[in-house]
């Protein structure tokens, strides 16, 4: 299998498993990631997904050899790797070791949080091949870091280390090599302590508020809050606070 999944508590560890190809994304990987995301979304006991790559490499991006044979690394409606255009309700954390190049970087950008080894390599080298980073790179990167820094990535195609990515604000945690997945899973456990409906609402509001007038953003937020306030989890959260105990979330 090109993509493995493992349930660890309330988290789903999703591993791209093509180390012989530096975990490059072909059609099978795209289908595997899409299936893993479906598993995450469908299982109410799973709260967070962690995406990583096998044997010290996140992903070298699109498998050019497979593409030359006519394979597509995209899935209609879901984007590159079955992920970059997918709307998920549950948080995703990228755990990056080694190369996150081209589409690999774009998979990480599609996640909500990024944990990276200090010596990881992030880059969008598509211009060196006559292409552009069309899996979300040219769209998302200028939204995440200042314009001129994003343009340096996109126009030079040169990579930066995980440590430098953290300095630019692209990475949540920088860790020693080999520790990214473990730290990402620890971070996932912190998220799973929170109400799943609230986590989903945060994601929806952030997405709805991007690039729209403030009044429209607040209107979108009001709609989400109206649904959230009617949930059993909100009542449970308030009751648990009053009773000085940990809440027991049901996702309802």
């Amino acid at each position: 299998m090109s993509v493995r999944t493992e349930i660890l508590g309330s988290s789903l560890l999703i591993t791209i498993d093509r180390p012989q190809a530096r975990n490059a994304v072909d059609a099978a990987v795209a289908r595997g990631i899409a299936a893993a995301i479906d598993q995450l979304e469908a299982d109410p006991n799973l709260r967070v997904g962690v995406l990583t790559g096998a044997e010290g490499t996140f992903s070298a991006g699109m498998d050019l050899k497979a593409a030359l044979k006519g394979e597509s690394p995209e899935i209609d409606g879901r984007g590159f790797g079955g992920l970059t255009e997918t709307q998920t309700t549950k948080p995703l954390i990228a755990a990056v070791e080694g190369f996150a190049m081209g589409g690999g970087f774009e998979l990480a950008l599609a996640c909500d949080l990024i944990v990276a080894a200090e010596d990881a390599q992030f880059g969008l080298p598509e211009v060196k091949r006559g292409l552009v980073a069309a899996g979300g790179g040219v769209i998302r990167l200028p939204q995440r870091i200042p314009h001129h820094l994003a343009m340096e990535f996109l126009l030079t195609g040169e990579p930066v280390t995980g440590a430098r990515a953290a300095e630019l604000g692209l990475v949540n945690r920088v860790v020693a090599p080999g520790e990214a997945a473990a730290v990402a899973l620890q971070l996932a456990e912190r998220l799973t302590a929170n109400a799943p409906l609230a986590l989903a609402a945060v994601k929806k509001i952030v997405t709805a508020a991007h690039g729209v007038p403030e009044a429209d953003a607040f209107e979108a937020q009001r709609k989400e809050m109206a649904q959230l306030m009617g949930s059993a989890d909100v009542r449970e959260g308030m009751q648990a606070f009053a009773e000085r105990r940990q809440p027991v979330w049901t996702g309802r």
Side-chain angles (χ1 to χ4, degrees):
M1 294 179 64
S2 297
V3 176
R4 293 184 283 107
T5 61
E6 183 180 2
I7 296 174
L8 299 169
S10 298
S11 300
L12 182 68
L13 180 63
I14 305 166
T15 304
I16 304 171
D17 193 13
R18 294 187 71 215
Q20 75 284 359
R22 295 196 302 178
N23 298 322
V25 179
D26 60 4
V29 169
R31 291 192 298 268
I33 293 175
I37 297 301
D38 287 344
Q39 179 185 355
L40 174 65
E41 290 287 300
D43 189 339
N45 295 315
L46 293 174
R47 303 288 178 83
V48 180
V50 174
L51 178 64
T52 193
E55 298 187 21
T57 294
F58 185 71
S59 174
M62 179 173 66
D63 187 326
L64 295 179
K65 292 180 180 179
L68 287 170
K69 294 177 182 177
E71 282 192 31
S72 174
E74 299 189 6
I75 293 179
D76 288 344
R78 306 187 73 153
F80 178 81
L83 177 61
T84 60
E85 297 176 45
T86 300
Q87 298 296 316
T88 62
T89 64
K90 298 178 182 179
L92 289 172
I93 303 173
V96 179
E97 301 276 356
F99 292 108
M101 303 297 288
F105 190 3
E106 290 170 317
L107 290 175
L109 288 172
C111 296
D112 301 293
L113 305 172
I114 301 176
V115 175
E118 59 190 3
D119 62 350
Q121 295 283 313
F122 293 87
L124 295 170
E126 282 82 354
V127 291
K128 294 178 179 289
R129 302 166 189 153
L131 300 169
V132 299
V138 295
I139 295 171
R140 290 193 170 110
L141 192 60
Q143 298 170 0
R144 310 290 171 81
I145 61 176
H147 172 85
H148 294 100
L149 296 176
M151 293 301 284
E152 184 175 349
F153 268 100
L154 294 164
L155 297 177
T156 68
E158 295 298 323
V160 302
T161 64
R164 177 57 177 160
E167 292 174 355
L168 297 176
L170 281 168
V171 170
N172 297 86
R173 302 282 190 277
V174 178
V175 299
E179 295 296 319
V183 173
L185 287 165
Q186 291 172 4
L187 185 55
E189 284 301 305
R190 294 181 61 183
L191 300 189
T192 60
N194 299 322
L197 292 179
L199 296 177
V202 166
K203 291 194 59 164
K204 288 180 182 178
I205 294 166
V206 168
T207 299
H210 181 75
V212 305
E214 192 173 82
D216 293 345
F218 273 102
E219 181 59 29
Q221 179 176 267
R222 274 190 286 273
K223 291 178 181 178
E224 290 299 326
M225 285 300 297
Q227 294 184 17
L228 195 62
M229 291 303 293
S231 71
D233 273 358
V234 164
R235 183 172 181 80
E236 166 64 10
M238 294 179 178
Q239 191 166 343
F241 178 79
E243 297 173 357
R244 297 184 179 181
R245 61 174 174 81
Q246 291 298 313
V248 180
W249 308 118
T250 61
R252 298 194 299 270

